[in-house]
Amino acid sequence: MKQNIQSQPVITFRCFSRKSYALFNCLGREVRIGVLSVATLLCATPAIHAQFIEQQTPPTPEKDETLLDEATVSASRAPFGAEVVARQVTVLSRTDLAAAGVSTLNDALKLSASVDVRQRGGFGIQTDISINGGTFDQIALYVNGIPFSNPQTGHNAADFPFTLEDVERIEVLEGAIARLFGAQAFSGAINIVTRSNGRSMVQLQGGSYGTAMVDARGAFHIGKATTSLSSRFFRSDGAVENSDFKGGSLFWQGQHHSSDLHLSWQLGATLKDFGANTFYSAAYNNQWEATRRYLGAIQAEIGTKVHFTPKISWVRSTDHYLLNRAKPTAYENFNRTDVVTIGVGAWTNWKLGRTAIGAEMQNEHLLSRNLGFDLDKNLWTKIPSQDSLYYTRGANRTNLSFYAEHNVFLRCWTFSLGAFAQKNTLTDKHFHLLGGADISYRPNANWSFFASWNQAMRQPTFTDLWYKSPTHEGNGSLKAERNSAFRIGANFQTKALTISAKAFYQHGSNMIDWVQREANGKWQSANFAIDNYGISLRTELSLKSLLGLNQPFERFTMDYAYIDQDRKDDVQVYKANYALEYLRHKLTATLSHRLFADLHAAWNFRIQHREGHYEVYENGKSTGTLLPYGTYAQLDCRLSWERPRYTLSLDLTNLTSHRYYDYGNVRQAGFLLMAGAIYRF
């Protein structure tokens, strides 16, 4: 997946065309518009894009001119113009994030009704993310188009190494899309696009439960290259029992543009130590974990007629887990995974459309004291900073994949057809062929309609296969999950109003979940047949465009999603832990407005109903009682005093201080307060 933003000879817009093919005239070139009206900007910046955009905007221009990014989006393996896309993608831009007043990436993802964000502790530390009723293991996470998922477990996959100030936009793609983003994109994908330009800044935050965060960011221009370096430190005593945390992150990224080369790179690290409240079992409320994640990647786009897109990346994840932090010898575990991805693709335009082909190899190497196969003693690897402790178990598997795709553009139609072949060297020796098709129809400038069918297949995580503890037991005989997803949708957009509606049906076989067969029994991983289906509707109002500039209201959004589930077998279980605990209803609403002078307010309201039950524990023992998660609502507010050089903010989370259960036996925090200040230079 690659956005095509390159430095080419500058084109000056003299008029706009509504022809569906007109946008291709500026592909790969910089477009400069001397004077751009507010109305034109509102029309040219939709809130709902149709696919992932992987690169950042070009350097900030001089004050007397505005540079308009090349309007290319990737609705396939090859990018093409936003006016002819074949898929729907929800994009949370910097404008969306600023208007909603969010302070963490996890809070930003909560703005999408189709995304389920579950937390064991406060401040976004212990977070699981899923889409459309899937599980946290079934989504693909990307950083600027580089895979960031963890094959050991999705529990720690969202340990991103950058700050919210680094984020240009967050792109959420729903549904099975293996032919676009690989096998991990089983129920959807999230791509976080960062920016190497922008302004340097320092941010301080502090508030409830001894929470403190310090962010710093520097951005620089060197010739045709832009680069930025950011860091973060955070600590807290924890908003709920045994949820204290501390850690930090470091992120370096850059881009270089020339006439026939676009080069980008990124290096990052995240270190976290935290109290893992009821992480694997509510019977142990004093669990602890330390995680470390490292990212290194470089990617390029070369050529003008035929575009080659090589990339290579490395992600290392380590964790140190204690069942009881007060008694480390009771049960202790260490894991390390290294994921190396090498890919090369090519795409070109010709008379019959745009064609893309490519291949990718992703090697996943595991070292552990719990997961995998027993290693020969001469292959044991010493665990850093641990006296006389070695990784004694391990596994290695490689995903080999090939893809081919063709896109056809007609006056009002776009057709995208593709195939994806994959083989996993550990669990399956055969290539499996997956396919998909996307269609869009645009009768006029305001309306667009979409339909798609796509397949996906996901291998079990190492935890699903081998994890063993006093409370859990993996299953080495698990089969790969398979999914066929059907989606339809429509977008309507004017200067003041954007509406997006969609419906989906996902037929899943061999779906993986952890279940208890009986009360007080061990959690076991198992395969099930589960179908998910649902609808969602998002509305966004530009109140400035609708009501005029001489009034305080700026923007209002409302997003609703409904999901239902049909399990196809009659296997009786006492309790399921993930797949069956989905959000049936979720409604989010945001309102941003000015109070007076430079003081602004952003309100976030969320109401959701979760299916499933949690088991009540008292003094570390089960009472044998199951209670439904039910429905809860939460209202947050951010007050900010915004000036060109600095911003002062006050985050008021859970204003009603309602305590509720959303994950296991963890009672979520009440009212939280965070104050912050950002200085830009």
Side-chain angles (χ1 to χ4, degrees):
M1 151 179 98
K2 194 80 176 74
Q3 183 188 8
N4 179 29
I5 297 180
Q6 299 179 351
S7 294
Q8 296 277 350
V10 176
I11 295 177
T12 300
F13 259 143
R14 303 190 183 279
C15 64
F16 287 91
S17 171
R18 291 181 178 271
K19 300 296 185 181
S20 62
Y21 57 80
L23 203 59
F24 287 97
N25 292 332
C26 62
L27 290 184
R29 302 186 182 183
E30 179 183 296
V31 179
R32 179 172 297 163
I33 303 175
V35 178
L36 200 61
S37 67
V38 173
T40 304
L41 280 173
L42 288 171
C43 292
T45 312
I48 302 295
H49 289 250
Q51 191 40 291
F52 284 90
I53 307 173
E54 293 184 12
Q55 304 298 334
Q56 299 88 310
T57 57
T60 303
E62 299 296 328
K63 292 183 179 179
D64 61 347
E65 64 181 7
T66 299
L67 294 181
L68 179 66
D69 275 352
E70 177 191 301
T72 57
V73 295
S74 177
S76 67
R77 290 283 185 170
F80 49 85
E83 290 187 356
V84 291
V85 294
R87 292 189 68 99
Q88 287 176 301
V89 170
T90 301
V91 176
L92 302 173
S93 66
R94 285 188 62 80
T95 302
D96 298 323
L97 302 180
V102 296
S103 57
T104 68
L105 283 170
N106 295 328
D107 290 337
L109 291 171
K110 293 176 184 177
L111 298 177
S112 174
S114 300
V115 179
D116 185 6
V117 181
R118 303 179 74 181
Q119 296 181 176
R120 292 181 181 83
F123 309 104
I125 294 299
Q126 300 177 60
T127 301
D128 289 342
I129 303 169
S130 58
I131 297 176
N132 285 159
T135 71
F136 55 88
D137 283 324
Q138 293 174 347
I139 69 169
L141 297 176
Y142 288 86
V143 177
N144 299 313
I146 295 298
F148 198 64
S149 301
N150 187 345
Q152 177 200 332
T153 174
H155 278 309
N156 301 324
D159 290 348
F160 299 110
F162 40 78
T163 71
L164 197 60
E165 279 290 312
D166 289 312
V167 175
E168 182 65 28
R169 56 189 156 267
I170 301 172
E171 304 164 341
V172 181
L173 179 65
E174 303 170 26
I177 45 173
R179 70 183 178 93
L180 300 183
F181 309 114
Q184 190 68 25
F186 189 83
S187 62
I190 295 174
N191 183 43
I192 298 178
V193 181
T194 62
R195 55 179 186 150
S196 59
N197 57 2
R199 299 170 68 178
S200 301
M201 53 75 68
V202 175
Q203 179 178 17
L204 305 176
Q205 296 181 80
S208 301
Y209 302 97
T211 304
M213 301 183 185
V214 180
D215 298 344
R217 183 177 191 271
F220 313 95
H221 299 273
I222 306 173
K224 294 182 179 180
T226 61
T227 185
S228 67
L229 179 66
S230 64
S231 62
R232 157 170 275 204
F233 163 80
F234 47 84
R235 63 91 52 208
S236 177
D237 296 330
V240 299
E241 181 185 2
N242 191 38
S243 65
D244 58 297
F245 61 86
K246 64 180 180 179
S249 64
L250 186 68
F251 188 63
W252 176 52
Q253 61 178 324
Q255 295 187 72
H256 172 79
H257 297 266
S258 65
S259 59
D260 58 356
L261 171 66
H262 172 83
L263 182 68
S264 62
W265 61 88
Q266 51 193 323
L267 289 171
T270 304
L271 295 79
K272 291 198 313 186
D273 297 1
F274 55 93
N277 194 338
T278 69
F279 198 17
Y280 284 106
S281 172
Y284 302 89
N285 61 358
N286 201 27
Q287 299 170 67
W288 176 88
E289 189 161 16
T291 62
R292 307 288 185 262
R293 299 203 79 189
Y294 307 94
L295 164 69
I298 185 169
Q299 54 189 326
E301 182 169 324
I302 307 167
T304 54
K305 298 295 185 182
V306 178
H307 299 256
F308 294 95
T309 55
K311 66 178 179 181
I312 183 170
S313 66
W314 165 74
V315 178
R316 169 169 289 184
S317 305
T318 70
D319 73 81
H320 175 196
Y321 169 76
L322 297 176
L323 186 66
N324 187 336
R325 65 194 303 178
K327 299 178 180 179
T329 57
Y331 180 82
E332 186 177 29
N333 191 26
F334 296 86
N335 301 291
R336 191 188 88 185
T337 57
D338 289 278
V339 180
V340 176
T341 304
I342 301 174
V344 62
W347 63 269
T348 188
N349 293 318
W350 55 301
K351 290 183 179 180
L352 297 182
R354 177 168 293 184
T355 300
I357 59 173
E360 184 176 279
M361 180 187 72
Q362 184 176 86
N363 180 260
E364 301 169 349
H365 184 66
L366 168 73
L367 291 174
S368 177
R369 289 181 62 84
N370 182 282
L371 308 176
F373 304 104
D374 289 327
L375 297 175
D376 291 335
K377 193 168 184 178
N378 63 329
L379 297 178
W380 288 7
T381 302
K382 188 167 188 318
I383 301 174
S385 72
Q386 299 294 320
D387 295 335
S388 67
L389 286 182
Y390 292 82
Y391 293 114
T392 59
R393 300 173 65 87
N396 187 281
R397 65 187 185 188
T398 299
N399 295 307
L400 299 173
S401 60
F402 301 88
Y403 67 84
E405 187 174 82
H406 184 65
N407 301 281
V408 178
F409 312 102
L410 303 178
R411 281 183 59 86
C412 299
W413 295 86
T414 300
F415 300 90
S416 180
L417 305 173
F420 176 80
Q422 185 198 45
K423 179 175 73 171
N424 184 280
T425 59
L426 177 64
T427 58
D428 200 329
K429 304 299 182 182
H430 305 286
F431 274 100
H432 295 268
L433 184 64
L434 307 171
D438 307 317
I439 303 173
S440 70
Y441 171 61
R442 304 164 301 280
N444 54 50
N446 301 117
W447 284 97
S448 53
F449 299 90
F450 304 86
S452 67
W453 166 78
N454 285 279
Q455 295 177 306
M457 184 180 73
R458 185 186 75 86
Q459 298 295 332
T461 66
F462 294 135
T463 296
D464 293 331
L465 292 170
W466 288 300
Y467 186 75
K468 288 186 178 182
S469 76
T471 58
H472 285 66
E473 184 173 350
N475 181 357
S477 300
L478 287 175
K479 299 178 182 178
E481 297 179 312
R482 298 189 71 98
N483 190 13
S484 292
F486 302 84
R487 310 186 68 84
I488 58 173
N491 291 347
F492 174 79
Q493 184 175 339
T494 66
K495 180 174 65 174
L497 173 66
T498 299
I499 298 176
S500 174
K502 45 199 164 186
F504 73 90
Y505 169 72
Q506 296 183 165
H507 174 64
S509 59
N510 299 326
M511 307 290 276
I512 297 172
D513 199 6
W514 287 81
V515 299
Q516 280 183 316
R517 304 290 183 181
E518 57 188 18
N520 298 318
K522 276 192 173 185
W523 291 96
Q524 298 176 320
S525 56
N527 288 118
F528 298 92
I530 302 174
D531 290 352
N532 288 332
Y533 51 91
I535 59 172
S536 63
L537 177 67
R538 178 181 172 88
T539 302
E540 179 179 331
L541 281 172
S542 172
L543 299 176
K544 285 186 176 181
S545 299
L546 186 66
L547 304 176
L549 300 178
N550 296 322
Q551 52 86 39
F553 296 102
E554 299 167 346
R555 199 179 70 154
F556 174 77
T557 68
M558 182 172 289
D559 197 358
Y560 170 74
Y562 167 82
I563 298 174
D564 202 355
Q565 194 177 82
D566 182 17
R567 191 171 141 194
K568 296 295 186 180
D569 55 63
D570 56 0
V571 178
Q572 296 298 314
V573 298
Y574 174 69
K575 188 182 182 307
N577 210 22
Y578 303 118
L580 304 183
E581 294 186 347
Y582 62 96
L583 286 180
R584 183 179 292 272
H585 301 279
K586 181 179 177 181
L587 172 69
T588 66
T590 67
L591 174 66
S592 59
H593 61 93
R594 182 174 57 85
L595 292 173
F596 64 87
D598 295 316
L599 182 62
H600 296 257
W603 302 84
N604 292 331
F605 175 72
R606 184 174 75 256
I607 183 170
Q608 59 188 45
H609 173 86
R610 184 176 303 283
E611 291 296 306
H613 301 75
Y614 67 93
E615 191 172 11
V616 179
Y617 278 74
E618 293 181 358
N619 299 320
K621 296 187 179 298
S622 171
T623 64
T625 302
L626 294 179
L627 294 180
Y629 287 109
T631 303
Y632 80 88
Q634 182 169 312
L635 177 64
D636 306 330
C637 177
R638 163 172 273 207
L639 302 175
S640 59
W641 184 272
E642 299 176 4
R643 299 290 295 168
R645 284 281 187 179
Y646 66 88
T647 298
L648 304 178
S649 63
L650 189 65
D651 292 312
L652 311 171
T653 303
N654 196 359
L655 284 167
T656 62
S657 197
H658 176 62
R659 307 291 299 274
Y660 58 93
Y661 291 87
D662 194 45
Y663 215 143
N665 204 54
V666 181
R667 192 182 186 204
Q668 295 296 310
F671 173 71
L672 300 175
L673 182 148
M674 289 287 289
I678 300 178
Y679 181 76
R680 301 178 179 89
F681 51 91

